């Protein structure tokens, strides 16, 4: 029974991994941002990055990434957003490229 359960779990993990790998990712350099520092009660903290004239949101960023994004724009570094093309308005990650 235990071995059968492990096989099922392994199959599910493999299927999820294949789905994640199949999702095409895209990236772009942000040229502006809006940082929602104090959201309304019950709303998540958010940072919106303007990439290719479209705002894309990073939900619930940790305080360190908020500070890094602010500093990157202040000092002229590149902020690169990565998103899944099936959900292009939601960022999966952000990378700071120091020039």
């Amino acid at each position: 029974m235990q071995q059968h359960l492990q096989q099922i779990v392994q199959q599910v993990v493999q299927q999820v991994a294949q789905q994640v790998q199949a999702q095409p990712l895209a990236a772009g350099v942000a040229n502006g941002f809006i940082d929602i520092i104090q959201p309304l009660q019950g709303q998540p903290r958010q940072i919106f990055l303007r990439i290719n004239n479209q705002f894309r949101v990073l939900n619930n960023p940790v305080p360190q990434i908020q500070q890094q994004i602010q500093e990157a724009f202040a000092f002229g570094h590149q902020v690169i957003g990565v998103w899944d093309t099936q959900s292009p308005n939601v960022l999966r990650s952000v990378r700071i490229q120091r020039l």
Side-chain angles (χ1 to χ4, degrees), residues 1-2 7 26 30 32-33 39 51 63 65 77 83 90 94:
M1 180 71 164
Q2 176 86 15
Q7 288 175 343
F33 76 104
I51 303 171
I65 194 67
H77 302 304
W83 62 90
V90 179
V94 173

Side-chain angles (χ1 to χ4, degrees), residues 6 17 24 26 29-30 32 50 55-56 62 64-65 67 71-72 76-77 86 95:
Q6 287 176 337
V29 177
R50 187 176 60 211
F55 280 99
R56 302 171 197 278
V62 295
Q64 293 85 355
I65 194 67
Q67 182 178 357
E71 289 175 0
H77 302 304
Q86 295 177 5
R95 180 169 182 228

Side-chain angles (χ1 to χ4, degrees), residues 4-99:
H4 182 67
L5 183 59
Q6 287 176 337
Q7 288 175 343
I8 292 172
V9 169
Q10 188 175 21
Q11 288 173 348
V12 170
V13 168
Q14 288 174 348
Q15 289 173 350
V16 169
Q18 288 172 353
Q19 290 173 352
V20 168
Q21 290 174 355
Q23 294 175 352
L25 298 178
V29 177
N31 62 1
F33 76 104
I34 298 172
D35 189 354
I36 309 299
I37 297 170
Q38 189 115 27
L40 296 174
Q41 186 176 357
Q43 297 297 312
R45 284 193 332 269
Q46 296 177 308
I47 295 177
F48 293 86
L49 297 180
R50 187 176 60 211
I51 303 171
N52 301 330
N53 292 322
Q54 180 177 353
F55 280 99
R56 302 171 197 278
V57 65
L58 180 63
N59 289 310
N60 295 311
V62 295
Q64 293 85 355
I65 194 67
Q66 285 181 290
Q67 182 178 357
Q68 289 175 358
I69 289 172
Q70 290 172 1
E71 289 175 0
F73 276 97
F75 295 113
H77 302 304
Q78 286 186 335
V79 178
I80 301 166
V82 178
W83 62 90
D84 176 348
T85 57
Q86 295 177 5
S87 301
N89 295 327
V90 179
L91 292 168
R92 292 184 62 174
S93 67
V94 173
R95 180 169 182 228
I96 309 299
Q97 181 78 24
R98 305 210 190 287
L99 301 175

